[in-house]
């Protein structure tokens, strides 16, 4: 069957790439109000492409912002259901002068398709639509049931999607969630990203006297909020780079031996990292490699500090306020509010006389992880290997994609990040592009993945 699917996709390749270019010509920039008509047009184009592929129950569903496009095909009786997540919005194209060709006039050069959204995420999203088309045109059926949930606000933090997923939980229910909005490890080197860090962001404010004070008249007798702040900030870590907040590590799931071995395949050369950053030495929690520190360990980073006179010269005062912003990157199974509770308790345990300390909680995002031996992950890895001739490496990201965790948690389903982008494709930057070799390889991998899922279900 896979050869029939591949043949169809090869025969239709030029037509499919032309359709992708139509998709890319729509400047669906969710962050800019003047592109609201383009967002509507892009949602309609997306819905129409799903309809043409043979999907059913297509809806453009309203949210508090840009709509979600839904579609499904649910006739594979007794087979698993896969929810495909993607987004039709794109980043702004500025600065325009740095593009070699206009960002919304797609062109192909050297086997690469250049346009805003080509790799993030229109190119990778359309792979799934064309695999549906290939199966239905050649087989009249799909090996699995599929649902599509395609949003228009990923590039502006998906603020309306979590309540949408909660509201339509039954409609979206699936045995696995799959998205292709990530990268491979390199050309011909597939990767399965199985973990993302979460986020807890807050601001600490320290207030002293009711106004700035003359340092000559009051210095040495009134607490300086900046002094109190620096004392507090220095208490957050011990001498070994470990976070010194009681309870901070309580929920951390330690790496298995299998994971640590897998990490050795993707760990960067730490000497090169140090050289590239132009620092004498790297610094962090002892006992862990650079890659482990930046992907599988939680952190507490002071991202900014402010207080006192910031203009030219010196103004000899005792400022009445100082503040700092903190970003904690979290790992499974840490909970943002629990971490902020622990930080707040740590603050109140410090001896900071003469000032008032407040903590303003601002950002929350839960971490995400799918075990690498989860059956759907194994099915995806086998599909990668059969297509690329190489078993994928397993990676974690130091960053956060909160909606991935929301989908997995609310739907109680494993999430597979099946990426086909490549490093250096300039997503979010001028001259964004997508290597078309991964169009062919991507559709084949997805096809094999669905067949693997169906076969595993029969064996079970």
């Amino acid at each position: 069957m896979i050869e029939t699917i591949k043949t169809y996709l090869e025969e239709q390749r030029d037509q499919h790439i032309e359709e992708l270019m139509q998709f890319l010509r729509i400047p669906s920039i969710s962050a800019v109000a003047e592109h609201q008509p383009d967002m509507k047009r892009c949602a309609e184009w997306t819905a129409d492409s799903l309809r043409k592929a043979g999907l059913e129950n297509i809806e453009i569903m309203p949210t508090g912002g840009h709509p979600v496009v839904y579609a499904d095909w649910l006739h594979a009786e007794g087979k698993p259901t896969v929810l495909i997540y993607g987004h039709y919005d794109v980043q702004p194209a500025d600065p325009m002068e740095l593009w070699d060709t206009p960002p919304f006039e797609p062109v192909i050069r050297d086997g690469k398709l250049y346009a805003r959204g080509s790799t993030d995420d229109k190119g990778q999203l359309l792979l799934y639509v064309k695999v549906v088309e290939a199966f239905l045109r050649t087989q009249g059926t799909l090996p699995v049931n599929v649902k599509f949930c395609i949003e228009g606000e990923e590039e502006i933090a998906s603020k309306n999607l979590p309540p949408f997923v909660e509201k339509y939980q039954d409609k979206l229910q699936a045995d696995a969630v799959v998205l292709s909005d990530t990268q491979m490890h390199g050309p011909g080197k597939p990767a399965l990203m199985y973990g993302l860090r979460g986020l807890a962001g807050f601001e600490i404010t320290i207030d002293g006297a009711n106004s700035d004070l003359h340092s000559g008249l009051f210095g040495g007798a009134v607490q300086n909020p900046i002094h109190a702040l620096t004392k507090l900030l220095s208490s957050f870590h011990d001498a070994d780079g470990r976070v010194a907040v009681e309870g901070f590590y309580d929920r951390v799931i330690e790496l298995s031996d299998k994971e640590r071995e897998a990490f050795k395949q993707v760990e960067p050369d730490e000497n090169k990292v140090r050289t590239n950053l132009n620092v004498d030495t790297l610094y962090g929690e002892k006992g862990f490699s650079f890659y482990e520190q930046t992907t599988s360990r939680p952190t507490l980073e002071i991202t900014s500090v402010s207080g006192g006179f910031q203009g030219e010269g010196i103004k000899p005062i005792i400022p009445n306020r100082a503040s700092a912003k903190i970003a904690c990157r979290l790992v499974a199974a840490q909970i943002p509010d629990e971490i902020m509770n622990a930080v707040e308790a740590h603050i109140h345990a410090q001896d900071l006389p003469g000032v008032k300390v407040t903590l303003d909680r601002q950002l929350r995002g839960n971490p995400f992880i799918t075990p690498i031996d989860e059956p759907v992950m194994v099915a995806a890895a086998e599909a990668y290997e059969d297509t690329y001739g190489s078993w994928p490496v397993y990676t974690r990201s130091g960053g956060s994609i909160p909606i991935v965790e929301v989908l997995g948690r609310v739907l109680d389903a494993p999430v597979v990040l099946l990426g086909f982008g490549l490093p250096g494709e300039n997503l979010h930057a001028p001259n964004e592009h997508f290597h078309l070799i991964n169009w062919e390889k991507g559709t084949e991998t997805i096809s094999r993945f669905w067949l693997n899922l169906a076969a595993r279900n029969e064996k079970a």
Side-chain angles (χ1 to χ4, degrees):
M1 183 185 300
I2 188 64
E3 294 304 322
T4 302
I5 299 299
K6 287 172 60 178
T7 297
Y8 176 86
L9 290 166
E10 290 167 4
E11 291 172 347
Q12 299 298 316
R13 179 187 182 279
D14 290 348
Q15 175 61 32
H16 289 169
I17 297 299
E18 173 54 35
E19 291 177 32
L20 173 56
M21 294 172 81
Q22 293 173 16
F23 199 14
L24 294 169
R25 290 188 184 104
I26 304 173
S28 49
I29 303 171
S30 54
V32 180
E34 68 183 64
H35 285 283
Q36 179 72 31
D38 297 312
M39 293 299 299
K40 181 176 183 294
R41 182 160 61 99
C42 199
E44 292 170 348
W45 191 98
T46 303
D48 191 50
S49 73
L50 295 167
R51 186 176 298 108
K52 290 177 179 177
L55 287 150
E56 302 169 344
N57 302 312
I58 297 153
E59 298 178 68
I60 298 177
M61 304 179 69
T63 71
H66 301 303
V68 167
V69 182
Y70 174 85
D72 62 36
W73 189 94
L74 304 175
H75 303 295
E77 187 176 352
K79 298 298 174 63
T81 298
V82 178
L83 176 70
I84 297 120
Y85 163 83
H87 63 94
Y88 63 86
D89 65 321
V90 300
Q91 282 281 327
D94 307 271
M96 302 289 284
E97 66 274 11
L98 296 184
W99 286 80
D100 294 335
T101 52
F104 297 104
E105 296 178 17
V107 297
I108 297 174
R109 297 195 303 271
D110 302 322
K112 294 172 278 189
L113 176 56
Y114 286 81
R116 172 60 84 228
S118 55
T119 190
D120 180 23
D121 176 45
K122 292 180 178 179
Q124 298 199 63
L125 168 61
L126 204 62
L127 293 170
Y128 290 88
V129 181
K130 294 310 169 187
V131 170
V132 168
E133 176 188 312
F135 271 103
L136 292 180
R137 295 284 174 84
T138 64
Q139 308 300 314
T141 188
L142 299 181
V144 294
N145 300 293
V146 299
K147 298 178 180 179
F148 282 79
C149 176
I150 306 170
E151 69 158 320
E153 297 186 333
E154 195 274 345
E155 301 295 3
I156 52 174
S158 302
K159 65 179 181 180
N160 288 298
L161 194 58
F164 179 91
V165 174
E166 294 275 2
K167 181 177 180 180
Y168 295 104
Q169 177 179 350
D170 291 342
K171 188 183 190 73
L172 300 174
Q173 198 60 56
D175 298 297
V177 180
V178 181
L179 62 119
S180 293
D181 198 10
T182 54
Q183 296 180 344
M184 298 170 58
H185 189 54
K189 298 178 180 178
L192 278 171
M193 184 179 291
Y194 71 100
L196 297 162
R197 290 200 289 191
L199 180 65
F202 50 92
E203 183 170 9
I204 297 170
T205 302
I206 297 186
D207 288 302
N210 57 8
S211 68
D212 291 348
L213 301 175
H214 190 291
S215 65
L217 299 178
F218 293 93
V222 176
Q223 174 71 288
N224 185 322
I226 295 180
H227 294 182
L229 179 64
T230 55
K231 178 182 178 181
L232 174 61
L233 297 181
S234 67
S235 74
F236 282 137
H237 296 86
D238 65 18
D240 292 329
R242 186 176 171 86
V243 177
V245 174
E246 185 176 351
F248 190 84
Y249 295 94
D250 284 357
R251 286 185 178 269
V252 173
I253 299 174
E254 301 294 337
L255 286 173
S256 66
D257 291 341
K258 186 176 181 179
E259 287 177 293
R260 298 195 86 161
E261 284 300 313
F263 275 19
K264 292 178 181 179
Q265 298 182 54
V266 296
E267 286 177 345
D269 184 325
E270 295 189 9
N271 287 326
K272 288 184 179 178
V273 173
R274 178 180 53 78
T275 301
N276 290 340
L277 296 178
N278 194 27
V279 294
D280 293 335
T281 186
L282 297 176
Y283 173 81
E285 187 182 5
K286 288 188 176 179
F288 299 92
S289 68
F290 172 83
Y291 190 75
E292 290 170 340
Q293 289 168 341
T294 56
T295 61
S296 67
R297 300 298 295 170
T299 65
L300 186 155
E301 293 294 336
I302 302 159
T303 62
S304 73
V305 177
S306 62
F309 177 66
Q310 302 294 316
E312 185 178 353
I314 297 175
K315 185 179 181 182
I317 60 166
I318 299 172
N320 73 322
R321 171 172 287 186
S323 64
K325 295 180 180 180
I326 310 290
C328 296
R329 295 290 178 170
L330 311 180
V331 298
Q334 291 178 300
I335 299 171
D337 274 314
E338 284 189 2
I339 292 300
M340 289 189 275
N341 289 343
V343 170
E344 193 158 13
H346 178 88
I347 291 171
H348 293 319
Q350 307 307 303
D351 183 21
L352 301 172
V355 293
K356 177 184 177 183
V357 185
T358 57
L359 186 146
D360 178 23
R361 306 180 184 207
Q362 298 179 0
L363 298 175
R364 296 169 178 83
N366 290 324
F368 149 81
I369 191 167
T370 296
I372 60 178
D373 57 358
E374 172 73 38
V376 294
M377 290 286 281
V378 176
E382 290 171 346
Y384 265 140
E385 182 182 41
D386 288 341
T387 301
Y388 286 90
S390 175
W391 192 265
V393 297
Y394 294 100
T395 65
R396 289 197 191 190
S397 171
S400 307
I401 309 177
I403 193 56
V404 172
E405 184 277 335
V406 171
L407 289 166
R409 172 174 49 82
V410 174
L411 302 180
D412 191 24
V415 183
V416 180
L417 280 70
L418 199 68
F420 300 102
L422 284 176
E425 288 187 333
N426 289 11
L427 66 165
H428 292 203
N431 298 316
E432 179 181 349
H433 57 277
F434 183 62
H435 287 71
L436 291 178
I437 182 63
N438 288 323
W439 175 272
E440 290 88 6
K441 296 287 190 181
T443 52
E444 180 180 346
T445 302
I446 294 165
S447 301
R448 290 183 182 277
F449 176 44
W450 290 358
L451 290 168
N452 288 349
L453 288 177
R456 283 177 171 273
N457 187 72
E458 289 177 359
K459 291 178 183 178

